[in-house]
Amino acid sequence: MSRKDKLLNLLKDELKGNFLAASSLEESRLFIDIKKEALVETASQLMKEGARYQMGVGYEAKKKGGGLAMVHTFAFDADSLLVAIRALTAEDEPEFDSLTPFIPGAGWSEREYIDLLGLHFKNHPNPKRLVLSDDWPEGIYPLRQEVPYDLMPPSAEEVAFRLDEAPPGSSIIPFGPFHACLHEPAHFAVYVDGEEIKGCEYRGFMVHRGIEKLAATELTYNEIPFVAERICGICGSVHSVNYAQAVEAASGLKIPRRAEFIRTVMLEIERLHSHLMWLGVAGHLIGFDTVFMQAWRIREKIMWLAESLTGNRKTYGLVIVGGVRRDIDLTKAELIKKTLAEVEKDVQALEKAIINDRSIHRRTKGVGYLSREKAKEWNLVGPVARARGLDIDARRDHPYAAYDEVKFEVVVADSGDVWGTLVVRIKEIYEAIRIIHQCLEKLASRLQGSPLAIEIEDPIPAGQQGLSVVEAPRGEAVHYVLTGDDNRPERWRVRAPTYPNLQAVPDMLLNNKLADFPIIVGSIDPCISCTDRVAVIDRRSASGRILSRQELEKLSREMRSKT
Amino acid sequence: MKVVAVFINLIYFLLLAPFLEGVMRKLTAWIQSRKGPPLYQPYLDLLKLLGKENLNSGGNWAYSLAPVLSFSSMLAAIALIPLTGQANILAHSSDLMTLIYFLTLSGFCLLVGALASGNPFAAVGASREMMTTVMLEPVLAMLLILGTVRVGSFSLTAAVSGVAVSRGVSYFLMLVVYLLALQAFVARQPFDIAEAEVEILEGPYMEYSGPNYALLRYTLNLKRMFYAWLLISSFLSFILPANFFLSLLLQTVLIIVVFVLISLIGATHPRFRIDQALKYYALLLILALIAVGCAVKGW
């Protein structure tokens, strides 16, 4: 009996009348409907069975009176199985039990739907505002069906996020909303005692663009991949591939093998550029600009390669539901091989310089330490998790695209610190190059001339769930799709790798030095845009007027004299 | 001639200091596979800043006065020094303590300005700068005291040239200490801790703009050049020719060589944390004390 059947039987036995239905289009996915009273019981049962929590998805059913739904997804990495449990509640009683008390990593997933759907979570330890801007009016929940995607409530003055009190004996250093070590807006209020970090509070979600809501109201299935790609400026293909896979899974589409290989090649090219970029940024964050410049010099070759393959340095526009739009022919394959040979040589030189540099050791070893147990508790993913001894990698554990046919090593370190992350990411560069070579070989030898995409003739049936994971350079990204009418998904939820990793940052920072803040936060390679995507209408900036320079100066002086 | 020497000091330093920054930037760029700005870029930067607006974000006089005081103290220190080993007119009314006093005052004014700005990052930068000063000023003092012990005079000229009078254990030990401390004296990587752009956003300089910022940058340039000059004219005084112009020429070349060294080290090291740096400074201080002890013994 497979793991899936065992789990299903176990849950049926345990939940009895609270178990409603189960469906499974593929061997590796399991979707369960339960009554909401059994949510905590089911989740704790799954965690006991060794699941890793992934994310929560909340939505309001499109059908009138359909109620509000909360989906939680779990991964069984050793068994290549993803499980989603769904519970419904009536609109006039929007309450679920919170999972956060025993799954800390679920904290944000639940807070998100307090803001966006007006849900309540009983026993949530910290139900503060997470996603919406501070002047967003109470009682308007953007993900509800009645709220239009382009609603712009008037902005309010004199509202600010209420930060928690700093612990006694410490003062607050504000890293953000804009800071040289953060490359996107995010606010860490760091509590310091002298130079030692005693804690921190995070306020983010400042770069909402309303992508999920837009997809559910305005776009069609095959327009979304191009918007999905724009969720992130670094791992764009991860999101377009991931979205396409989720739709394909929900509708049972089988795409051509050649397209799967091409997706794999582009994902790995993206990984190369992302790892080199991170390496450079990490160097910059510890004040080592030579590493920064050299890593980006090497990366530039990858960017040029991507441009000759797709027409763009980034945002490749390659993926559609059902396949890909561009081929990698033999001439392009030759170009890739030539570039990779150069890049590999350059990376080896850079690696030698970094690995043996004792002053880099001093700045990274023991910095941002988190034990394996803590890493597990926070559901860390990607190089950040692998640096802490967690042997997980979606490419191997939940194979997608062509990863079932290529050989590669999952690099794991056990130092649990920034140094471990650095080593993992450098070694993964070589693995990515290996994967690309294998794909090219197979493309050339047996997949010549097959089609790049399938024609989708029948409409995609509504009400089907699809769940997909892709190992982004920073870690596992998860997409959930619930198919709908009107040629668009009813709900599409994106969970970027930064989402779980960022929640663990306060723990990583604790008792480190202030000088290590940039590299610790940098070590998870935070992608704020990915994390902040979600479903909301533009923030104040969209409706705000443009201040003249005089007004701005006056305003900042007034603000200053008040503090 | 002795009066003119004061002005030669000032003009020499004021003209050359920005160029040396240009050398650093160019070399760093080459190491990083970049083209880098032209060598005269720092002059343009200073000119541009001088033409911009001074924003008084601190809102008090201490904040706006600090850059001028810091700059003028540095100039005062430079006016005193025996550029080519010859004492100038100010030597009658000053000694090595005066020099140390002006150097410290210049750094102190920067701290006052940083604290008066009210910016928390500037405050962190100021506290780091303060710790660095407390640990490093004694190392500088030890060097001059070494010279004083050798020649038995508190005069600055004697102290500077006294270092290399005899080249025994104490000379070489002090030379090692000075070279190890050089990067910290000039506040370049791995010791640009008080400015640390990605951590505390240039720390003490953060709130400054326009002419005030230009003065602070200029002060930093002068300070860097001073420490390079001190290395040449104390440890290598015996190779400088007696002819004033030849001596000045050789010194200029050697100062540029020192800046090449500074750039190389700066481009190949990440920044230290302040706690790591303080341990390092403590070691230097102990070695400097031993060097002076050796000098007293006549080794």
Side-chain angles (χ1 to χ4, degrees), chain A residues 500-514:
Chain A
N501 288 349
L502 195 55
Q503 294 182 61
V505 161
D507 256 13
M508 290 183 200
L509 286 174
L510 207 61
N511 297 326
N512 278 280
K513 296 276 183 263
L514 184 66

Side-chain angles (χ1 to χ4, degrees), chain A residues 166-182:
Chain A
S170 58
S171 52
I172 295 182
I173 300 275
F175 278 87
F178 297 96
H179 188 282
C181 77
L182 304 165

Side-chain angles (χ1 to χ4, degrees), chain B residues 22-281:
Chain B
V23 171
M24 276 202 302
R25 285 165 71 170
K26 196 79 187 171
L27 269 170
T28 310
W30 282 349
I31 297 168
Q32 298 176 347
S33 305
R34 290 187 289 125
K35 222 176 141 190
L39 287 170
Y40 54 81
Q41 186 65 41
Y43 297 99
L44 301 182
D45 289 352
L46 288 175
L47 272 177
K48 187 181 79 176
L49 283 171
L50 286 173
K52 287 189 172 266
E53 189 189 359
N54 257 332
L55 286 176
N56 188 352
S57 56
N60 51 47
W61 58 267
Y63 173 83
S64 31
L65 214 54
V68 182
L69 287 176
S70 180
F71 184 64
S72 43
S73 314
M74 185 53 74
L75 285 185
I78 285 165
L80 299 179
I81 59 173
L83 187 57
T84 49
Q86 302 300 316
N88 63 33
I89 191 157
L90 297 172
H92 300 301
S93 45
S94 67
D95 57 15
L96 65 92
M97 284 306 159
T98 327
L99 177 78
I100 292 175
Y101 166 76
F102 276 126
L103 283 176
T104 316
L105 184 64
S106 172
F108 177 74
C109 288
L110 175 63
L111 290 188
V112 170
L115 291 172
S117 76
N119 186 305
F121 293 102
V124 173
S127 101
R128 290 178 179 187
E129 183 80 47
M130 204 150 14
M131 286 188 263
T132 309
T133 310
V134 168
M135 299 297 278
L136 276 181
E137 287 296 289
V139 177
L140 174 70
M142 290 303 154
L143 168 74
L144 295 173
I145 289 169
L146 182 87
T148 304
V149 167
R150 284 281 175 64
V151 290
S153 156
F154 261 102
S155 119
L156 187 57
T157 318
V160 170
S161 54
V163 173
V165 165
S166 67
R167 293 181 286 284
V169 180
S170 61
Y171 170 83
F172 285 106
L173 188 54
M174 195 47 115
L175 181 60
V176 168
V177 170
Y178 196 92
L179 286 174
L180 290 176
L182 184 62
Q183 214 68 11
F185 281 141
V186 299
R188 283 290 281 189
Q189 264 117 344
F191 298 106
D192 60 335
I193 303 166
E195 288 142 59
E197 184 219 334
V198 283
E199 296 163 24
I200 51 171
L201 314 167
E202 303 285 321
Y205 302 104
M206 179 178 188
E207 287 288 339
Y208 281 105
S209 63
N212 274 344
Y213 182 57
L215 285 182
L216 289 176
R217 298 261 17 133
Y218 219 155
T219 312
L220 183 64
N221 283 341
L222 292 173
K223 182 174 122 181
R224 285 176 172 161
M225 186 175 162
F226 168 80
Y227 282 107
W229 169 84
L230 189 61
L231 174 65
I232 306 299
S233 51
S234 57
F235 291 101
L236 297 179
S237 55
F238 59 93
I239 65 161
L240 295 176
N243 180 298
F244 175 78
F245 290 103
L246 278 182
S247 170
L248 204 58
L249 191 69
L250 186 58
Q251 260 188 51
T252 311
V253 173
L254 288 174
I255 286 175
I256 293 173
V257 171
V258 172
F259 269 79
V260 169
L261 185 74
I262 293 170
S263 314
L264 285 177
I265 299 173
T268 49
H269 283 83
R271 186 181 305 112
F272 279 178
R273 279 199 311 257
I274 186 75
D275 55 318
Q276 294 165 337
L278 287 179
K279 279 180 206 150
Y280 181 81
Y281 299 155

Side-chain angles (χ1 to χ4, degrees), chain A residues 310 341 430:
Chain A
T310 66
Y430 301 121

Side-chain angles (χ1 to χ4, degrees), chain A residues 33-202:
Chain A
D33 280 294
I34 53 167
K35 281 191 182 157
K36 73 167 188 173
E37 291 77 20
L39 200 55
V40 166
E41 194 189 343
T42 317
S44 50
Q45 196 62 249
L46 288 173
M47 292 306 277
K48 223 181 288 165
E49 290 293 312
R52 175 170 58 81
Y53 182 80
Q54 285 182 311
M55 65 165 178
V57 189
Y59 67 91
E60 185 187 14
K62 217 163 199 164
K63 222 166 49 205
K64 227 173 162 39
L68 300 161
M70 192 70 204
V71 183
H72 289 283
T73 76
F74 299 84
F76 290 86
D77 294 313
D79 309 292
S80 305
L81 178 65
L82 301 179
V83 180
I85 55 172
R86 175 166 64 178
L88 276 164
T89 187
E91 221 159 299
D92 48 3
E93 193 202 342
E95 189 174 73
F96 287 101
D97 292 321
S98 172
L99 306 187
T100 312
F102 61 99
I103 310 175
W108 278 17
S109 276
E110 291 181 340
R111 278 167 72 185
E112 200 173 309
Y113 298 109
I114 300 177
D115 285 12
L116 300 180
L117 271 179
L119 294 176
H120 296 284
F121 289 93
K122 213 158 68 190
N123 303 328
H124 195 293
N126 181 26
K128 262 182 133 172
R129 187 167 271 202
L130 177 73
V131 176
L132 292 178
S133 64
D134 301 311
D135 64 347
W136 187 269
E138 293 289 332
I140 299 182
Y141 304 113
L143 266 189
R144 293 279 180 109
Q145 299 290 355
E146 76 264 14
V147 180
Y149 80 97
D150 54 355
L151 175 77
M152 275 190 253
S155 58
E157 303 291 330
E158 304 292 323
V159 278
F161 188 70
R162 213 181 295 258
L163 289 168
D164 291 339
E165 289 283 319
S170 58
S171 52
I172 295 182
I173 300 275
F175 278 87
F178 297 96
H179 188 282
C181 77
L182 304 165
H183 305 120
E184 289 175 89
H187 187 159
F188 293 85
V190 181
Y191 312 136
V192 292
D193 180 6
E195 289 251 345
E196 197 160 297
I197 299 176
K198 288 296 172 199
C200 110
E201 187 178 5
Y202 177 74

